[in-house]
Short mmCIF file of all heavy atoms in Angstrom, two decimals:
data_model
loop_
_atom_site.label_atom_id
_atom_site.label_comp_id
_atom_site.label_asym_id
_atom_site.label_seq_id
_atom_site.Cartn_x
_atom_site.Cartn_y
_atom_site.Cartn_z
N MET O 275 -0.19 -0.86 9.95
CA MET O 275 -1.20 -0.57 8.94
C MET O 275 -2.32 0.31 9.48
O MET O 275 -3.23 0.63 8.74
CB MET O 275 -1.77 -1.88 8.41
CG MET O 275 -2.07 -1.84 6.94
SD MET O 275 -0.76 -2.52 5.99
CE MET O 275 -1.29 -4.21 5.85
N SER O 276 -2.25 0.70 10.75
CA SER O 276 -3.36 1.53 11.21
C SER O 276 -3.09 2.98 10.81
O SER O 276 -1.97 3.48 10.89
CB SER O 276 -3.54 1.39 12.73
OG SER O 276 -3.31 2.61 13.37
N LYS O 277 -4.16 3.64 10.35
CA LYS O 277 -4.00 5.01 9.88
C LYS O 277 -3.51 5.91 11.00
O LYS O 277 -2.77 6.86 10.76
CB LYS O 277 -5.33 5.53 9.34
CG LYS O 277 -5.56 5.14 7.90
CD LYS O 277 -6.74 5.88 7.33
CE LYS O 277 -7.85 4.94 6.99
NZ LYS O 277 -9.09 5.53 6.59
N ARG O 278 -3.95 5.61 12.23
CA ARG O 278 -3.53 6.43 13.37
C ARG O 278 -1.99 6.37 13.51
O ARG O 278 -1.33 7.38 13.67
CB ARG O 278 -4.19 5.90 14.65
CG ARG O 278 -3.90 6.71 15.88
CD ARG O 278 -4.62 6.11 17.10
NE ARG O 278 -4.27 4.71 17.37
CZ ARG O 278 -3.12 4.33 17.94
NH1 ARG O 278 -2.21 5.23 18.30
NH2 ARG O 278 -2.85 3.06 18.15
N LYS O 279 -1.44 5.18 13.38
CA LYS O 279 0.01 5.04 13.51
C LYS O 279 0.75 5.65 12.31
O LYS O 279 1.80 6.26 12.45
CB LYS O 279 0.41 3.58 13.69
CG LYS O 279 0.01 3.06 15.07
CD LYS O 279 0.37 1.61 15.28
CE LYS O 279 -0.05 1.19 16.69
NZ LYS O 279 -0.05 -0.26 16.87
N LEU O 280 0.17 5.47 11.14
CA LEU O 280 0.81 6.05 9.95
C LEU O 280 0.81 7.58 10.06
O LEU O 280 1.81 8.24 9.73
CB LEU O 280 0.09 5.59 8.68
CG LEU O 280 0.15 4.08 8.41
CD1 LEU O 280 -0.67 3.72 7.19
CD2 LEU O 280 1.59 3.62 8.24
N LEU O 281 -0.29 8.13 10.58
CA LEU O 281 -0.38 9.57 10.77
C LEU O 281 0.69 10.04 11.76
O LEU O 281 1.34 11.07 11.55
CB LEU O 281 -1.78 9.95 11.28
CG LEU O 281 -2.04 11.43 11.52
CD1 LEU O 281 -2.00 12.20 10.20
CD2 LEU O 281 -3.41 11.65 12.19
N GLN O 282 0.88 9.25 12.80
CA GLN O 282 1.90 9.60 13.80
C GLN O 282 3.31 9.60 13.18
O GLN O 282 4.11 10.50 13.45
CB GLN O 282 1.82 8.62 14.97
CG GLN O 282 2.63 9.05 16.18
CD GLN O 282 2.53 8.04 17.32
OE1 GLN O 282 1.73 7.10 17.28
NE2 GLN O 282 3.37 8.23 18.34
N LEU O 283 3.59 8.63 12.33
CA LEU O 283 4.90 8.58 11.67
C LEU O 283 5.13 9.85 10.85
O LEU O 283 6.23 10.40 10.82
CB LEU O 283 4.99 7.36 10.75
CG LEU O 283 5.09 5.99 11.42
CD1 LEU O 283 4.90 4.87 10.41
CD2 LEU O 283 6.45 5.84 12.12
N VAL O 284 4.06 10.31 10.20
CA VAL O 284 4.16 11.51 9.36
C VAL O 284 4.30 12.76 10.23
O VAL O 284 5.22 13.56 10.05
CB VAL O 284 2.93 11.63 8.43
CG1 VAL O 284 2.94 12.95 7.68
CG2 VAL O 284 2.88 10.47 7.45
N LYS O 285 3.38 12.89 11.19
CA LYS O 285 3.32 14.11 12.01
C LYS O 285 4.61 14.30 12.82
O LYS O 285 5.07 15.42 13.03
CB LYS O 285 2.12 14.05 12.98
CG LYS O 285 0.79 14.27 12.28
CD LYS O 285 0.29 15.70 12.45
CE LYS O 285 -0.56 16.18 11.29
NZ LYS O 285 -1.97 15.82 11.37
N GLU O 286 5.19 13.21 13.29
CA GLU O 286 6.39 13.32 14.12
C GLU O 286 7.67 13.19 13.29
O GLU O 286 8.76 13.01 13.84
CB GLU O 286 6.36 12.26 15.23
CG GLU O 286 5.21 12.48 16.20
CD GLU O 286 5.11 11.39 17.28
OE1 GLU O 286 5.99 10.50 17.34
OE2 GLU O 286 4.12 11.43 18.04
N ASN O 287 7.53 13.28 11.98
CA ASN O 287 8.68 13.29 11.07
C ASN O 287 9.61 12.07 11.16
O ASN O 287 10.80 12.19 10.95
CB ASN O 287 9.51 14.56 11.28
CG ASN O 287 8.71 15.79 10.93
OD1 ASN O 287 8.06 15.84 9.89
ND2 ASN O 287 8.74 16.78 11.82
N HIS O 288 9.04 10.93 11.48
CA HIS O 288 9.85 9.72 11.41
C HIS O 288 10.07 9.32 9.96
O HIS O 288 10.98 8.56 9.64
CB HIS O 288 9.18 8.57 12.17
CG HIS O 288 8.97 8.88 13.62
ND1 HIS O 288 10.01 8.96 14.51
CD2 HIS O 288 7.85 9.18 14.31
CE1 HIS O 288 9.53 9.28 15.71
NE2 HIS O 288 8.22 9.42 15.62
N VAL O 289 9.19 9.81 9.10
CA VAL O 289 9.31 9.61 7.65
C VAL O 289 9.09 10.96 6.98
O VAL O 289 8.65 11.91 7.62
CB VAL O 289 8.26 8.59 7.13
CG1 VAL O 289 8.51 7.20 7.69
CG2 VAL O 289 6.85 9.06 7.45
N ASN O 290 9.40 11.02 5.68
CA ASN O 290 9.20 12.28 4.96
C ASN O 290 7.84 12.32 4.27
O ASN O 290 7.76 12.30 3.05
CB ASN O 290 10.31 12.48 3.92
CG ASN O 290 11.67 12.54 4.56
OD1 ASN O 290 11.85 13.21 5.58
ND2 ASN O 290 12.63 11.82 4.01
N GLY O 291 6.80 12.34 5.05
CA GLY O 291 5.46 12.48 4.46
C GLY O 291 4.80 11.15 4.17
O GLY O 291 5.41 10.08 4.30
N TRP O 292 3.51 11.26 3.79
CA TRP O 292 2.71 10.06 3.52
C TRP O 292 3.28 9.25 2.37
O TRP O 292 3.04 8.05 2.28
CB TRP O 292 1.28 10.48 3.16
CG TRP O 292 0.44 10.91 4.31
CD1 TRP O 292 0.18 12.21 4.69
CD2 TRP O 292 -0.26 10.08 5.25
NE1 TRP O 292 -0.64 12.20 5.79
CE2 TRP O 292 -0.93 10.92 6.15
CE3 TRP O 292 -0.38 8.68 5.39
CZ2 TRP O 292 -1.72 10.43 7.19
CZ3 TRP O 292 -1.17 8.20 6.42
CH2 TRP O 292 -1.83 9.06 7.30
N ASP O 293 3.98 9.90 1.44
CA ASP O 293 4.48 9.15 0.28
C ASP O 293 5.96 8.80 0.44
O ASP O 293 6.64 8.51 -0.53
CB ASP O 293 4.22 9.90 -1.02
CG ASP O 293 5.07 11.15 -1.16
OD1 ASP O 293 5.64 11.61 -0.13
OD2 ASP O 293 5.19 11.67 -2.28
N ASP O 294 6.45 8.83 1.67
CA ASP O 294 7.81 8.36 1.89
C ASP O 294 7.91 6.92 1.37
O ASP O 294 7.03 6.10 1.65
CB ASP O 294 8.13 8.40 3.40
CG ASP O 294 9.57 8.03 3.69
OD1 ASP O 294 9.94 6.86 3.40
OD2 ASP O 294 10.32 8.87 4.20
N PRO O 295 8.95 6.63 0.58
CA PRO O 295 9.05 5.29 -0.04
C PRO O 295 9.12 4.13 0.96
O PRO O 295 9.05 2.98 0.55
CB PRO O 295 10.34 5.38 -0.85
CG PRO O 295 10.50 6.83 -1.14
CD PRO O 295 9.98 7.55 0.08
#
Side-chain angles (χ1 to χ4, degrees):
M275 217 97 93
S276 117
K277 276 191 245 173
R278 183 180 58 76
K279 289 180 179 166
L280 296 176
L281 181 66
Q282 191 180 351
L283 289 169
V284 173
K285 286 260 150 85
E286 295 177 5
N287 297 313
H288 300 290
V289 294
N290 299 316
W292 284 99
D293 70 343
D294 184 296

